[in-house]
Amino acid sequence: LCEATSRKPRLSKFSSIRSMALSTCSMLTEENEAQIQGFLARNSQFSCSFMRRFSPLEGADGFFVALLARNGG
């Protein structure tokens, strides 16, 4: 979704992308939900259909996943 140094999406070369997933091994809001919300604010042609944190208390190591899809496609 973003380049590490700029945090800006690099989708211009991928105009045919219809869906994508973001998954991190972080539990930090600024690395997960905030990135998704920022991306959606800058790219209104996408929406988020699923977003969830999986806590270490649920038997996993702790991670985040979000599914994004291009609207109307």
Side-chain angles (χ1 to χ4, degrees):
L1 283 180
C2 55
E3 194 172 271
T5 56
S6 68
R7 297 274 188 219
K8 292 186 180 177
R10 302 290 184 203
L11 289 179
S12 59
K13 295 181 181 180
F14 303 102
S15 61
S16 63
I17 289 177
R18 296 185 348 189
S19 62
M20 62 184 137
L22 170 72
S23 179
T24 72
C25 57
S26 171
M27 297 293 291
L28 300 175
T29 300
E30 61 268 15
E31 292 182 3
N32 298 316
E33 292 91 346
Q35 292 299 312
I36 296 297
Q37 295 305 320
F39 175 83
L40 294 174
R42 293 184 304 272
N43 297 277
S44 61
Q45 70 271 29
F46 283 89
S47 60
C48 182
S49 61
F50 179 82
M51 187 177 347
R52 180 167 178 218
R53 282 190 214 191
F54 293 85
S55 166
L57 300 175
E58 297 177 75
D61 289 337
F63 62 96
F64 171 85
V65 65
L67 302 176
L68 303 171
R70 189 179 296 275
N71 299 325

